[in-house]
Amino acid sequence: MLNKQKGNPQCSPSRKRAQVQQLHLHLLSLELPSPSSHPLVVNRYINSRLRGLIKQLRDRTRSSNCMPRPRSTAAPITPAWRKRHVPEKDEEEEEGGDEGATAKEGEVKVEEARREADGKMNEEDREGGPGDRAAGPAPPLSGTFCLLRPLEEKLDAWLGETLDPFTDRRYLSWLGIVTLAFGYNIWLIPARAAFRCHTECSAPLWFCCDLLADTVYVVDMLFIQPRLQFVKGGDVIVDRIFTTKNYQDSTRFKTDLMAILPFELLYLQFGFMSVFRANRMLRLRSFFEFSDLLESMMTKTYIWRVIRTIGYLLFILHLDACLYYTASEYEGVGSTQWVYNGEGSAYLQSFLYAEKSLLMIAELPLPDTLFGLMFQMMNYFIGAAFLSTFLAQMRVVISAATAHQTYFRKSMDNAVTYMNTNKIPKLVQDRVRTWYMYTWESQGMLDESELLEQMPLVMRTAIAVDINLSTFQKIDLFKGCEGQMLVDMLLRLKPVVYLPGDFVCKKGNIGKEMYIIKAGAVQVVGGDNETVLVTLKAGCVFGEISLLQSAPNGGNRRTANVIAHGFANLFVLDKKDLNDILVHYPESQKVLARKGRKLLMAKDLAGRGQLKGQVTPMVCQVERLQVVTSNDDDENSAL
């Protein structure tokens, strides 16, 4: 055999076939899923349907293998002999025997692997499969309790699947209830532990109040917090399953879970003691969330800030009173001059000591013991730090509440100082002071544009549309123009305030602005400034013809005097701003040009009539022009 292998360096065809068959069986064994592998599941419904289809195909394949096959007419194949059965066969027979043995062993391995895979799949089908378990987030926490499911369905009908924690006032109201339960625990647990409030008569009442507060905690944890929407990657997640999963994965869930652990079971061993409820004070985050949401929804936030700061002061004094009474019991009530003497209300006497000690408003007797000295020194140190912090906090709150008024006073003082330096007449100074006072009283600020510039364009547009769009749509000159052009014009409006008797515009001046009356009234007067032609009130528009192109004969000059009748708040649109807008709206520019020519022609006719001695009131000319313009618009719309 060695000589034959040396003479024939290439492998025989039978050996090549055996190697190919072994490689094929090896690849088949690699394609089979290992028992420890977990398939990647994208959709549980599709995964279950595919598993069922695969199972049906395998059952069909097994049933076809069990069916009797038709007899073949080909000659029978001689079985391959193993090498150990016929040791004296030649080389080709030995190779054939090796091929048969390898093929049979490979088939056995493949069949065993297939059985293991089938058994694993059947177990996954019965248990739900690892893919199904990892396919999606866990079901809602409250859904695991069958008794609570009817209540959860009622809450779904009332609250909806999810809640917006920033704008939904129902959530703010619920946070107020949770804050009350938290305040009950954080104020009364130290007091009950220090002043021994538990008696045989009061114990049932305390137990009922504790049970009510714990019920609020549990309801918030099971039904409210899993409904809160959250933002992920810029998208607002409103799916109930994902909101529940987000809450269960957060640190807040762990804190809330620790806050409701039933350490009260230790009552059975040690008796009714409120110290075992100390974990209920871990819901501090609910209080701060309620405070932030309340500030964002209040118009005068400084009121809540002052109340909250005073609450911090009272709570620190309350804790110090509890510690002082505990120290007095440790030293012995009435044993020295420093401790509580046992007369009167224990809580009020202890609270009075806390006020004197922390706020340092009166002298206290010196302790006689080392423990008393250490306690009093620590009290003085904490009181100094807390008092400075409290005063700084109150200063910040008051400064924020009066920041706008301080800015107004500073601006007015600077203006008065400037006028005094330059020796401005007293009449002008009085009018300047009047303008400052009226502007502050009517707007609450000196310049509205400073506030609006801080907002994004979308919000500025919404505010401008709500205030002036309806007025713009009533102007005959702008009828038929594009709506977006009107919105762009609204963003260019500038607020201005006129005092009583101020000239808004004078006859003969070149008009470059259009005016919209926001509040107050103006009067159109004759040449003597005493004859009132017409009075325009809030919502009226005048000066719109001045926005058109200049006429060669000065047709865009003012034709009358306009005087403010009382205080007048106006919006002004400049001609340059309108031209910048019309560049982007050619169709609207054509409409304005056509209507402008008609208005200018009407003014020319009115001027010629006056030159010939014909008395043609301006109001009649304008009314005829409006009728002609409206008729032209109706014809264009009909066409």
Side-chain angles (χ1 to χ4, degrees):
M1 291 178 62
L2 292 175
N3 295 334
K4 193 176 287 186
Q5 288 179 357
K6 290 179 181 180
N8 187 13
Q10 298 181 354
C11 299
S12 61
S14 59
R15 182 176 293 277
K16 289 182 178 181
R17 287 194 300 271
Q19 293 176 354
V20 170
Q21 189 174 6
Q22 291 179 1
L23 179 61
H24 179 65
L25 293 174
H26 179 66
L27 292 176
L28 288 177
S29 63
L30 288 178
E31 291 178 355
L32 290 173
S34 61
S36 62
S37 63
H38 299 286
L40 178 63
V41 178
V42 179
N43 189 291
R44 288 185 287 182
Y45 175 74
I46 297 176
N47 182 59
S48 61
R49 294 296 300 272
L50 289 177
R51 287 179 179 276
L53 183 60
I54 292 173
K55 189 175 181 181
Q56 292 178 4
L57 292 176
R58 285 183 175 175
D59 293 341
R60 185 182 302 176
T61 304
R62 290 172 183 172
S63 61
S64 61
N65 292 336
C66 295
M67 293 178 60
R69 299 181 179 179
R71 295 183 179 180
S72 177
T73 56
I77 300 176
T78 304
W81 294 90
R82 294 186 180 274
K83 191 171 182 179
R84 61 179 179 268
H85 292 163
V86 186
E88 297 181 356
K89 294 287 183 181
D90 56 1
E91 183 182 359
E92 293 184 359
E93 292 179 355
E94 291 176 0
E95 292 174 357
D98 293 340
E99 294 172 6
T102 305
K104 190 172 182 179
E105 292 176 359
E107 291 177 358
V108 172
K109 291 181 180 180
V110 170
E111 186 65 25
E112 292 177 356
R114 185 176 297 171
R115 290 175 181 174
E116 292 178 359
D118 292 342
K120 179 177 176 298
M121 184 171 293
N122 293 334
E123 292 178 359
E124 292 180 0
D125 292 337
R126 290 191 300 268
E127 299 176 0
D132 294 342
R133 290 190 296 269
L141 181 65
S142 56
T144 58
F145 302 94
C146 297
L147 297 178
L148 300 180
R149 188 170 296 277
L151 179 59
E152 187 177 357
E153 292 177 354
K154 292 182 179 179
L155 289 175
D156 287 341
W158 180 47
L159 298 175
E161 289 291 330
T162 56
L163 292 172
D164 185 359
F166 300 107
T167 60
D168 199 328
R169 294 185 178 271
R170 295 174 299 178
Y171 179 64
L172 176 64
S173 303
W174 172 254
L175 274 182
I177 298 175
V178 178
T179 302
L180 288 177
F182 170 75
Y184 164 79
N185 288 319
I186 201 171
W187 279 80
L188 293 184
I189 287 176
R192 291 160 58 184
F195 292 96
R196 313 298 180 185
C197 300
H198 297 161
T199 61
E200 294 183 357
C201 297
S202 63
L205 179 61
W206 288 118
F207 184 79
C208 292
C209 294
D210 294 344
L211 184 61
L212 182 61
D214 294 346
T215 303
V216 173
Y217 280 9
V218 173
V219 171
D220 180 68
M221 183 178 178
L222 293 181
F223 300 106
I224 305 300
Q225 295 299 326
R227 299 174 186 271
L228 297 186
Q229 302 172 6
F230 66 97
V231 179
K232 183 177 181 181
D235 297 331
V236 180
I237 307 301
V238 297
D239 192 303
R240 176 67 179 281
I241 296 179
F242 290 101
T243 56
T244 304
K245 185 67 166 58
N246 178 70
Y247 172 62
Q248 293 178 0
D249 293 340
S250 63
T251 56
R252 181 170 186 170
F253 172 75
K254 300 178 179 63
T255 305
D256 295 348
L257 187 61
M258 293 176 61
I260 62 171
L261 292 179
F263 289 109
E264 290 87 346
L265 296 177
L266 297 176
Y267 289 169
L268 303 176
Q269 180 69 23
F270 300 98
F272 191 61
M273 301 172 62
S274 63
V275 69
F276 297 129
R277 293 179 51 82
N279 60 322
R280 300 296 190 272
M281 296 187 290
L282 294 176
R283 294 296 297 265
L284 189 64
R285 183 171 179 176
S286 298
F287 167 74
F288 287 116
E289 184 181 5
F290 170 76
S291 177
D292 295 339
L293 290 178
L294 187 61
E295 281 188 12
S296 64
M297 295 184 182
M298 289 182 64
T299 55
K300 297 181 179 180
T301 57
Y302 65 88
I303 297 177
W304 167 248
R305 292 172 184 170
V306 171
I307 294 175
R308 184 181 59 189
T309 305
I310 295 176
Y312 291 159
L313 172 63
L314 295 177
F315 179 70
I316 295 298
L317 294 176
H318 170 76
L319 288 182
D320 192 66
C322 296
L323 293 175
Y324 172 72
Y325 185 80
T326 304
S328 298
E329 281 194 335
Y330 177 78
E331 288 285 317
V333 176
S335 59
T336 62
Q337 229 179 2
W338 174 75
V339 299
Y340 168 59
N341 56 11
E343 299 178 359
S345 174
Y347 180 76
L348 293 180
Q349 293 289 340
S350 300
F351 196 87
L352 179 62
Y353 165 83
E355 287 183 347
K356 294 179 179 180
S357 177
L358 292 182
L359 303 181
M360 290 179 277
I361 57 178
E363 294 184 2
L364 294 172
L366 294 177
D368 299 332
T369 61
L370 179 62
F371 173 78
L373 287 173
M374 295 296 295
F375 184 89
Q376 190 65 32
M377 289 173 58
M378 186 63 64
N379 230 18
Y380 281 142
F381 177 76
I382 295 176
F386 174 74
L387 184 60
S388 59
T389 304
F390 173 75
L391 293 178
Q393 182 68 20
M394 289 298 295
R395 180 178 178 274
V396 170
V397 171
I398 296 174
S399 299
T402 60
H404 294 289
Q405 191 171 4
T406 303
Y407 172 74
F408 159 71
R409 291 292 181 185
K410 183 178 179 181
S411 301
M412 185 174 176
D413 293 342
N414 292 336
V416 171
T417 303
Y418 174 80
M419 291 186 294
N420 290 332
T421 303
N422 293 275
K423 299 180 180 180
I424 304 298
K426 183 173 177 55
L427 179 62
V428 178
Q429 292 190 22
D430 292 340
R431 292 182 65 82
V432 171
R433 290 191 183 94
T434 303
W435 179 86
Y436 267 101
M437 296 299 296
Y438 175 76
T439 303
W440 174 255
E441 292 294 334
S442 61
Q443 300 180 171
M445 60 188 67
L446 296 179
D447 190 2
E448 294 180 353
S449 59
E450 294 181 0
L451 177 64
L452 297 176
E453 286 177 357
Q454 301 175 2
M455 299 182 182
L457 179 61
V458 177
M459 295 183 181
R460 294 204 307 268
T461 303
I463 293 175
V465 167
D466 291 338
I467 296 176
N468 295 316
L469 181 60
S470 59
T471 304
F472 256 74
Q473 291 174 346
K474 297 176 183 178
I475 302 175
D476 292 331
L477 182 62
F478 299 129
K479 287 183 179 180
C481 297
E482 299 181 33
Q484 185 59 40
M485 190 201 76
L486 299 181
V487 173
D488 292 343
M489 292 171 60
L490 294 177
L491 296 175
R492 302 295 183 96
L493 295 178
K494 300 175 183 177
V496 63
V497 176
Y498 288 93
L499 302 183
D502 284 349
F503 280 89
V504 180
C505 56
K506 291 184 178 182
K507 182 178 180 180
N509 292 347
I510 297 177
K512 297 181 180 179
E513 300 91 6
M514 182 193 74
Y515 299 92
I516 301 176
I517 303 177
K518 177 185 177 183
V522 298
Q523 292 179 341
V524 182
V525 297
D528 57 353
N529 296 332
E530 295 181 0
T531 304
V532 179
L533 301 179
V534 65
T535 300
L536 304 178
K537 297 184 178 181
C540 296
V541 180
F542 62 95
E544 64 271 20
I545 302 178
S546 303
L547 298 179
L548 305 175
Q549 295 182 357
S550 299
N553 58 350
N556 65 330
R557 291 184 179 272
R558 303 294 188 185
T559 58
N561 294 330
V562 180
I563 301 176
H565 180 63
F567 292 95
N569 295 57
L570 308 180
F571 284 111
V572 181
L573 178 63
D574 191 76
K575 179 179 179 179
K576 182 178 179 300
D577 294 334
L578 178 62
N579 292 335
D580 294 340
I581 294 172
L582 290 178
V583 173
H584 307 285
Y585 302 96
E587 296 298 329
S588 298
Q589 188 175 9
K590 295 178 182 179
V591 174
L592 290 178
R594 185 177 71 250
K595 292 185 177 182
R597 285 192 297 268
K598 295 178 181 179
L599 292 174
L600 292 175
M601 289 174 60
K603 292 180 65 176
D604 291 340
L605 292 175
R608 292 173 186 175
Q610 290 178 0
L611 290 175
K612 293 179 181 180
Q614 299 175 359
V615 181
T616 308
M618 182 64 67
V619 178
C620 297
Q621 294 289 344
V622 173
E623 289 177 353
R624 295 194 192 102
L625 177 61
Q626 291 177 351
V627 172
V628 173
T629 305
S630 61
N631 292 337
D632 292 343
D633 293 339
D634 295 339
E635 293 176 0
N636 294 334
S637 60
L639 292 175

